[in-house]
Amino acid sequence: MHAATLVFLSVLSTAFGFQVTRPSLSQGWTNNGPQTVAWDRVATDASNFSIVLTNLDRSVLSTDIVLADFVDATSASSISVSQPSSGWPTTGGSYRVNLVKSKNEQTTIYAQSTEFNITAGAATESAKSTSATSSSAGTASRSQSTATGSSTDSADGSASTDSSMSSPLTTGNSASGNFALSAGVVTAAVAMIGSVLL
Ligand SMILES: *[C@@H]1O[C@H](CO)[C@@H](O)[C@H](O)[C@H]1NC(C)=O
Ligand SMILES: *[C@@H]1O[C@H](CO)[C@@H](O)[C@H](O)[C@H]1NC(C)=O
């Protein structure tokens, strides 16, 4: 198995620049809701790929799952993949995400993530930022746009976890007094974001 891995890695590194940066061992997935796949790409890489969830341990995952087909690799460096219709597979370790040429050419692998865990979880990254955005959207986006006009779009969008998490934090710090007076729900949401980030 070691020899096979080495051969495989050397083929990858000579032919392609794609790298999967998430999921990883330190940033795994939960079995609840959409999960994030992020990658690095160089100009000579393919312009699109498909995303496959796999596991060497076939007792954990008997067949690979195609999570996304024909992803545009050039206009973004991350994507949120929906929970498969059959649900996420059993929680455990040694999962990997493959970026492959297409749904029908899964043996042409551009890049492979490190092994990562799928853990039981009520709160995914996406769920956190979605609830924060929706519960504080009215007040937050207004003060946000006066402060830094350009970041309003990313604050409202759900695509990027990082930008949507940083915006509520900024808002919470600058206007936490107003929030506390206006709505307990918003205060709770801001407090929750604060505790998640700290
Ligand atoms: C998708 O990527 C393949 C390379 O794998 C390329 O040949 C094809 O033109 C791309 N399609 C589009 C629409 O970008
Ligand atoms: C991943 O799961 C394994 C057990 O399958 C566990 O030993 C390991 O600590 C977990 N790693 C992380 C980063 O949670």
Side-chain angles (χ1 to χ4, degrees):
M1 186 187 107
H2 256 309
T5 308
L6 287 177
V7 168
F8 177 66
L9 286 177
S10 69
V11 168
L12 272 185
S13 60
T14 54
F16 303 105
F18 274 126
Q19 299 219 335
V20 182
T21 54
R22 281 182 74 172
S24 65
L25 190 57
S26 60
Q27 290 186 300
W29 284 356
T30 71
N31 65 352
N32 194 304
Q35 306 296 329
T36 301
V37 177
W39 60 90
D40 288 337
R41 175 183 182 273
V42 300
T44 49
D45 282 330
S47 59
N48 59 81
F49 54 72
S50 297
I51 300 175
V52 175
L53 179 65
T54 187
N55 199 315
L56 267 184
D57 185 347
R58 288 304 182 190
S59 68
V60 175
L61 182 67
S62 57
T63 55
D64 294 352
I65 301 175
V66 177
L67 294 174
D69 194 24
F70 202 66
V71 175
D72 178 358
T74 60
S75 64
S77 59
S78 72
I79 188 178
S80 180
V81 291
S82 304
Q83 180 168 313
S85 53
S86 55
W88 291 112
T90 184
T91 58
S94 70
Y95 283 99
R96 287 179 191 267
V97 157
N98 290 347
L99 307 188
V100 302
K101 184 168 183 184
S102 74
K103 188 169 69 175
N104 301 321
E105 296 162 287
Q106 294 182 30
T107 53
T108 304
I109 299 174
Y110 294 155
Q112 186 170 57
S113 73
T114 60
E115 290 192 342
F116 66 95
N117 290 3
I118 295 181
T119 54
T124 66
E125 295 287 340
S126 307
K128 273 181 229 156
S129 58
T130 301
S131 67
T133 304
S134 57
S135 55
S136 61
T139 326
S141 59
R142 239 170 279 130
S143 57
Q144 188 75 27
S145 55
T146 47
T148 55
S150 63
S151 62
T152 308
D153 286 349
S154 61
D156 291 338
S158 58
S160 166
T161 302
D162 290 337
S163 62
S164 58
M165 283 187 73
S166 63
S167 299
L169 176 66
T170 308
T171 309
N173 286 343
S174 60
S176 56
N178 295 341
F179 280 11
L181 290 173
S182 60
V185 176
V186 173
T187 309
V190 171
M192 189 192 79
I193 297 161
S195 65
V196 167
L197 292 174
L198 296 173

